[in-house]
Amino acid sequence: MTYDLIVRGGEVANHAGRGFADVGIIDGKIAFIGDLSQASAGEVFDATGLTVLPGVIDTQVHFREPGLEWKEDLETGSRAAALGGVTAVFEMPNTEPNTTDPDALADKLDRARDRMWTDHAFYIGGTHENAKYLAELERLPGCCGVKVFMGASTGTLLVADDDGVREVLSHVKRRATFHSEDEYRLVERRPLARTGDWTSHPEVRDPESAILSTRRLVRLARETGARIHVLHVTTAEEIEFLAGHKDVATVEVTP
């Protein structure tokens, strides 16, 4: 068989484990993994000494477009992702304007067309105002799910109270994702911030702010029968707690 591309001689790491193998590609898709020493291809990439991995799916990126392009945009962010081995991204809703309705989602999809270097989808932000529409919004083409900010955020995205989180969870049908910090504790501790001193950041946003919120979130998920995903966990306490609630919660950690 002739392949369009053979990646030859690398150490392949996938669901089957790790081992040295060749990868044959036809029409942009992996057609074979194994010994292709006798096969031919239009192009051969020598991966000797390299590790060959499946493309990474990054489920939380902030590309800041529209409104904050001076930080990043869809083109530069996705190009950097591709160079790092990320082949698909889910982009967050805290842009300006917030991505909370069909028009804002459609605008992002239009901006992404012919500019983004990776596969992509966009989160709809869950808010007090759009909670009752989330079952429809999360099913829109190009939407990867609902993102909720229980701690400090922008625009109308903050849903700090139990009633608001409960309302969101009662309408979402897919697994909802959460920035889990207790806004009330953050507000109480804000006076601890020292202007220009980055070391005060973990004093304001301390581990207790995270675990308090995550305990509340799991309780509300169980009340409503919803499934949740807790983003960028930074504390050992949360990991230990969430390990006992795998039936309702998945989790990712901060690198």
Side-chain angles (χ1 to χ4, degrees):
M1 179 179 290
T2 299
Y3 295 87
D4 298 329
L5 169 66
I6 292 177
V7 180
R8 180 164 285 159
E11 184 180 13
V12 174
N14 61 12
H15 63 284
R18 298 174 69 102
F20 290 94
D22 305 320
V23 180
I25 297 170
I26 298 175
D27 293 333
K29 296 182 179 180
I30 295 173
F32 183 81
I33 299 175
D35 182 4
L36 292 174
S37 57
Q38 303 303 311
S40 59
E43 179 183 358
V44 176
F45 180 87
D46 183 4
T48 302
L50 301 177
T51 301
V52 182
L53 299 168
V56 173
I57 301 173
D58 191 335
T59 60
Q60 182 179 4
V61 301
H62 293 268
F63 288 165
R64 307 302 183 185
E65 183 181 347
L68 300 166
E69 288 90 342
W70 59 274
K71 295 183 178 182
E72 182 81 281
D73 64 35
L74 296 174
E75 192 276 332
T76 61
S78 62
R79 179 152 45 97
L83 287 170
V86 175
T87 57
V89 296
F90 296 170
E91 205 269 341
M92 288 294 166
N94 54 332
T95 46
E96 296 181 359
N98 297 156
T99 314
T100 56
D101 58 46
D103 289 342
L105 176 63
D107 177 61
K108 278 192 173 178
L109 290 167
D110 287 343
R111 290 168 178 270
R113 190 171 295 112
D114 298 325
R115 289 180 61 226
M116 290 189 70
W117 294 73
T118 61
D119 292 336
H120 51 271
F122 298 96
Y123 283 102
I124 284 284
T127 70
H128 290 97
E129 292 77 14
N130 71 2
K132 64 183 178 181
Y133 305 113
L134 289 174
E136 302 168 28
L137 292 171
E138 67 180 347
R139 293 292 182 181
L140 290 174
C143 177
C144 54
V146 172
K147 166 68 179 292
V148 183
F149 291 83
M150 293 176 69
S153 189
T154 57
T156 62
L157 289 175
L158 181 63
V159 184
D161 58 301
D162 282 7
D163 286 344
V165 173
R166 187 182 292 109
E167 179 73 3
V168 167
L169 289 175
S170 68
H171 290 285
V172 172
K173 304 304 180 185
R174 298 159 75 180
R175 188 181 298 271
T177 63
F178 284 83
H179 174 123
S180 182
E181 282 185 295
D182 191 282
E183 177 69 7
Y184 306 106
R185 184 172 175 85
L186 295 181
V187 170
E188 288 176 358
R189 298 180 68 79
R190 200 164 289 158
L192 297 176
R194 297 182 294 277
T195 302
D197 182 1
W198 64 267
T199 64
S200 65
H201 181 84
E203 296 175 29
V204 177
R205 305 177 87 158
D206 67 337
E208 190 66 17
S209 300
I211 189 63
L212 278 175
S213 177
T214 299
R215 287 189 182 123
R216 288 172 49 215
L217 176 57
V218 168
R219 172 175 55 80
L220 293 167
R222 291 200 176 281
E223 282 183 19
T224 56
R227 297 172 299 158
I228 57 173
H229 180 70
V230 187
L231 295 160
H232 48 61
V233 167
T234 57
T235 70
E237 291 87 348
E238 284 176 281
I239 292 296
E240 183 177 353
F241 171 72
L242 289 166
H245 299 278
K246 293 181 180 180
D247 56 323
V248 296
T250 54
V251 60
E252 64 188 53
V253 298
T254 301

